[in-house]
Amino acid sequence: MTDLEIVIKEWPRLASGFGNTVLLFGVSSVGAFLLGAHMVGPLRSRSKIVRVALHSYVDGMRMLPFLIFVYLLYYGLPSFGVKLDAWTAGLLGLTIYHCAYVTEILRGAWDQLPTGQTESAQAHGYHGFRLMRRIILPQLVLNSAPVLGNQLIYILKDTSFLMIITVQDLTYAASSIQSMYFVPLEPFLIAMALYWAISLLIERLVRVVQGTAKVRGLGRA
Amino acid sequence: MAAPEEIPILQVDDISKSFDGVEVVSNVSLKIHSGETISILGPSGSGKSTLLRCINWLEKPDRGDVYLTGKRVGRKEDGQLMSDIELASIRAQMGMVFQNFNLWPHFTVLQNVMECPVHVLGMSKDDAVLRAEQLLEKVGLKAKRDAYPYSLSGGQKQRVAIARALAMVPTVLLFDEPTSALDPELVGEVLSVMRDLSAEGMTMVVVTHEMSFAREVCQEVVFMDDGQVVEQSTPDKFFSNPQTERAKRFLTRYE
């Protein structure tokens, strides 16, 4: 069997790993975004305790390497009596970790938004999360599409760390084919191409959002 | 015997507001009755805009009270601060038009006008579209319904902003220097819409530098300087025979 034939024979393994990677990426991206959208408002809360707590979380996560964070969730938490399975730890880890970045991106975009946007919404009877959802958040997304897209690519790539805690993602699949058959190159090249394909889709999405922003005179950063 | 006074649409009671220890509005009181248009005049930095922003509590007054048709704004009967929800519902009854328009750029013109009726008042989308179209017709911009604010001139933006405020069927409309950010040739189209509204009996408080508007449209002129109301009279009296040195000096600059 040539190396390529081996990879073709083991294709189901790669496909299932790819499926898992897409699932991990999709769920944690949506989770990180929704959570971030809810955190960016309280980041400017009147309560100092809330502000300090949220800033500590955002800064704390950003100072921590992702791999160590996932290690702590999966191997560290059991010492405190909390035992998570690999998937739960992986999804939680990705979501919580990248939510900090998403929150920071949205915060930065909000700082650039004219205060008149919030004031005119308040003057017309908006408050709380509805103001955020209808008036602020769409503008933050339109204005920061390239940076958010960049973050999505980071989330995608960080899924590959999860093989360390036994999640059977695409990198895990490639790595196991490699170790079973001693084919060092092909499985990883294919994995690389698949990561690349998703990244291209993300880029495409960013373009679409940028186009939407452009006709509205937004997103000219 | 005087008839019992009707409840004013808007009553400002001894309002004061400081920023960083500097009092920007000092003990201002006003009453605006139904159908009246009053203008607030004064040099830059005289506290006009801050006063207006205190009326709908975009700025929280340090002292004093605002009443909208007899109902206290910002504070409950017992003096406790209103919750955000209560404040939002009372603000929804006051329209506000800003110097910089503050239209929402991600929505089309039509969406800007129907946004609040649908999402604040809970009106059905079909009804909101109908009303928004009527209002856009009124301000002469029905043809622009699907345009984004980005593509409009300043005068058009401000007319959309007026339609947006009217869509909430406000009890009173607050204008914060609505023509100050406009090119001179675009001022007229906005003032003409405001004139029509005033003639239709809309209750309006207008902070402005447009002396002709104050003189021709308003029932009352309030002149502010250094955060205080210096003169308050009919436009006729104020423009032909100002009582104070400060008002005279101010008016000579606009001759």
Side-chain angles (χ1 to χ4, degrees):
Chain A
M1 266 199 304
T2 65
D3 289 358
L4 198 61
E5 278 166 347
I6 292 168
V7 172
I8 290 167
K9 180 173 152 269
E10 290 294 332
W11 177 248
R13 203 182 282 274
L14 277 172
S16 129
F18 180 66
N20 285 344
T21 289
V22 170
L23 191 65
L24 288 164
F25 166 69
V27 171
S28 54
S29 297
V30 171
F33 179 77
L34 290 181
L35 211 58
H38 280 84
M39 287 183 64
V40 66
L43 211 53
R44 349 179 120 206
S45 162
R46 269 168 283 185
S47 149
K48 196 175 172 193
I49 300 169
V50 173
R51 281 202 317 270
V52 169
L54 288 178
H55 275 289
S56 313
Y57 155 70
V58 169
D59 292 344
M61 281 298 144
R62 292 192 303 147
M63 282 185 276
L64 185 67
F66 178 66
L67 188 54
I68 293 183
F69 180 56
V70 171
Y71 259 127
L72 288 175
L73 282 181
Y74 190 65
Y75 297 112
L77 278 184
S79 333
F80 300 95
V82 182
K83 187 143 176 36
L84 303 173
D85 65 66
W87 270 81
T88 311
L91 278 174
L92 270 182
L94 278 171
T95 305
I96 295 172
Y97 187 80
H98 286 280
C99 167
Y101 283 88
V102 171
T103 305
E104 180 62 12
I105 291 168
L106 295 177
R107 183 199 62 75
W110 199 346
D111 284 351
Q112 302 294 316
L113 204 67
T115 51
Q117 287 295 315
T118 309
E119 286 184 347
S120 62
Q122 287 173 331
H124 285 82
Y126 277 97
H127 68 91
F129 192 68
R130 188 189 293 157
L131 193 163
M132 179 69 190
R133 184 171 57 83
R134 296 292 310 170
I135 308 295
I136 306 296
L137 192 58
Q139 297 190 59
L140 301 188
V141 172
L142 290 170
N143 281 330
S144 58
V147 198
L148 283 173
N150 207 33
Q151 195 60 40
L152 287 178
I153 291 176
Y154 277 118
I155 298 177
L156 174 66
K157 293 195 294 187
D158 278 358
T159 56
S160 72
F161 279 119
L162 299 183
M163 71 169 274
I164 306 284
I165 60 164
T166 74
V167 174
Q168 304 192 353
D169 75 319
L170 178 59
T171 305
Y172 177 93
S175 167
S176 52
I177 295 170
Q178 181 269 132
S179 57
M180 278 186 290
Y181 299 93
F182 304 106
V183 280
L185 194 58
E186 281 78 1
F188 287 115
L189 283 181
I190 287 171
M192 198 177 86
L194 290 171
Y195 283 117
W196 196 45
I198 305 178
S199 300
L200 285 178
L201 286 178
I202 295 171
E203 273 303 301
R204 188 63 177 267
L205 178 68
V206 168
R207 292 270 159 71
V208 171
V209 177
Q210 278 186 299
T212 310
K214 200 177 170 207
V215 294
R216 290 161 175 78
L218 294 168
R220 291 161 301 163
Chain B
M1 218 173 78
E5 204 186 353
E6 63 169 315
I7 298 174
I9 290 281
L10 195 66
Q11 181 173 346
V12 174
D13 220 8
D14 216 18
I15 285 274
S16 298
K17 175 72 185 176
S18 301
F19 292 115
D20 301 323
V22 180
E23 198 159 72
V24 191
V25 172
S26 310
N27 307 98
V28 172
S29 296
L30 294 172
K31 273 182 193 168
I32 297 110
H33 290 94
S34 180
E36 278 182 343
T37 298
I38 75 159
S39 61
I40 303 176
L41 308 177
S44 299
S46 56
K48 312 178 295 282
S49 288
T50 305
L51 171 64
L52 198 74
R53 292 163 60 82
C54 282
I55 290 177
N56 66 356
W57 271 57
L58 281 183
E59 303 289 353
K60 177 176 162 291
D62 297 334
R63 291 191 306 279
D65 278 307
V66 178
Y67 296 88
L68 182 71
T69 56
K71 193 173 183 313
R72 203 171 179 185
V73 179
R75 290 184 188 282
K76 296 183 226 183
E77 297 305 325
D78 60 4
Q80 292 285 309
L81 288 177
M82 281 183 168
S83 69
D84 287 351
I85 300 168
E86 292 166 308
L87 188 56
S89 90
I90 202 160
R91 275 177 180 150
Q93 301 164 43
M94 294 185 258
M96 190 166 197
V97 175
F98 295 83
Q99 182 175 351
N100 294 316
F101 330 120
N102 296 335
L103 293 177
W104 300 310
H106 54 301
F107 292 140
T108 63
V109 163
L110 188 78
Q111 287 168 336
N112 263 278
V113 180
M114 58 182 281
E115 171 65 18
C116 304
V118 172
H119 292 277
V120 176
L121 301 181
M123 186 186 268
S124 80
K125 275 207 171 141
D126 292 345
D127 291 349
V129 170
L130 274 179
R131 179 188 288 180
E133 281 176 341
Q134 283 165 2
L135 289 168
L136 287 175
E137 181 132 48
K138 186 189 184 85
V139 299
L141 286 171
K142 202 175 172 189
K144 292 282 184 189
R145 67 193 291 267
D146 296 321
Y148 287 101
Y150 167 63
S151 67
L152 304 181
S153 73
Q156 291 171 331
K157 283 182 192 166
Q158 197 59 297
R159 286 187 280 151
V160 174
I162 292 172
R164 176 177 67 173
L166 288 173
M168 297 292 282
V169 201
T171 312
V172 58
L173 260 185
L174 311 174
F175 290 84
D176 187 6
E177 305 204 23
T179 58
S180 296
L182 299 179
D183 291 337
E185 73 270 22
L186 302 177
V187 169
E189 62 190 66
V190 172
L191 290 183
S192 128
V193 168
M194 291 168 61
R195 263 172 220 268
D196 291 350
L197 287 177
S198 176
E200 287 165 21
M202 175 59 76
T203 311
M204 296 161 49
V205 182
V206 184
V207 170
T208 186
H209 290 288
E210 291 296 326
M211 296 303 140
S212 62
F213 180 84
R215 192 198 292 256
E216 291 156 25
V217 180
C218 297
Q219 283 80 51
E220 190 172 308
V221 168
V222 174
F223 173 67
M224 285 181 73
D225 197 9
D226 278 338
Q228 291 165 325
V229 173
V230 179
E231 274 191 47
Q232 187 168 2
S233 61
T234 62
D236 271 354
K237 268 196 224 154
F238 178 74
F239 287 103
S240 57
N241 187 20
Q243 299 297 303
T244 58
E245 269 313 304
R246 284 198 272 186
K248 282 176 196 164
R249 245 185 292 134
F250 173 76
L251 285 170
T252 50
R253 266 186 283 146
Y254 279 92
E255 290 303 318

